[in-house]
Amino acid sequence: WDALSEELKKYVPSQNKDRVIRNLNKTTQAILYGTLVMAVLEFFIAYVGFTLSGVEASLIMAAIVFVLAFIPTIGPIMVWVPLALYYLSNQQYEIALGVTVVGLILTVGVETILYAKWIGDRTRIHPFVMLLGVVGGVSLFGIFGFIVGPLILASAIDVAQSAMDE
């Protein structure tokens, strides 16, 4: 990180380069730590929800949700949609409904809203703006956009604030 931050200082259009790099470091740590925390939270929600819904292999499904939670927005969907369709095709409608509700909580509640709020609180950027960074980053940069998007957004905001302070 030290070598990278020294290289980045050359390109930062501000006199407060050290402050911009410190904020960039803080933002990067918040994003990576937040991703890990959200994955653990999604595991517990998936395990409890799938167990209460009647999914037979709820622990295995929750573990897969944990692993795939590192792929933003589509990670948990890759588990709960096929699982719900499986139970729906077997005419186990109550279980399919339970899996769908748990999946929507994971996808909308945790992946979208809670993740943006978590990162926004730690970087002091409004959660809606951070959500735009995550969504825009994923659409522009693919799977790593959930890190790159908010990082670019936070850096741009910090550089703009630094320029206004000068």
Side-chain angles (χ1 to χ4, degrees):
W1 175 253
D2 292 335
L4 179 62
S5 64
E6 287 301 317
E7 188 64 29
L8 285 174
K9 282 183 187 178
K10 297 176 187 176
Y11 302 104
V12 174
S14 171
Q15 292 178 349
N16 289 327
K17 294 177 189 248
D18 289 328
R19 183 176 69 99
V20 171
I21 296 299
R22 273 194 314 274
N23 287 342
L24 187 61
N25 182 29
K26 187 173 93 175
T27 301
T28 305
Q29 287 178 354
I31 291 169
L32 294 176
Y33 183 68
T35 302
L36 178 64
V37 168
M38 292 303 129
V40 170
L41 180 62
E42 288 179 45
F43 168 80
F44 284 114
I45 291 172
Y47 177 66
V48 170
F50 291 163
T51 301
L52 292 175
S53 298
V55 174
E56 294 173 15
S58 59
L59 183 60
I60 294 170
M61 292 296 128
I64 295 171
V65 166
F66 172 77
V67 171
L68 294 177
F70 293 97
I71 304 172
T73 58
I74 64 166
I77 291 174
M78 293 170 46
V79 175
W80 71 264
V81 168
L83 192 59
L85 290 174
Y86 168 77
Y87 283 109
L88 191 62
S89 69
N90 287 329
Q91 298 178 348
Q92 294 177 308
Y93 302 115
E94 296 84 16
I95 298 174
L97 178 63
V99 168
T100 302
V101 168
V102 170
L104 290 173
I105 290 169
L106 292 173
T107 304
V108 176
V110 177
E111 285 273 317
T112 306
I113 297 170
L114 193 59
Y115 180 76
K117 174 117 177 75
W118 173 281
I119 303 301
D121 287 349
R122 274 144 188 82
T123 58
R124 289 178 282 140
I125 298 173
H126 193 277
F128 181 73
V129 174
M130 193 53 68
L131 178 62
L132 289 177
V134 170
V135 172
V138 169
S139 65
L140 288 174
F141 300 106
I143 206 165
F144 294 107
F146 78 101
I147 293 174
V148 175
L151 205 53
I152 290 172
L153 183 65
S155 300
I157 290 171
D158 195 45
V159 167
Q161 286 175 344
S162 178
M164 289 182 357
D165 291 344
E166 294 172 1

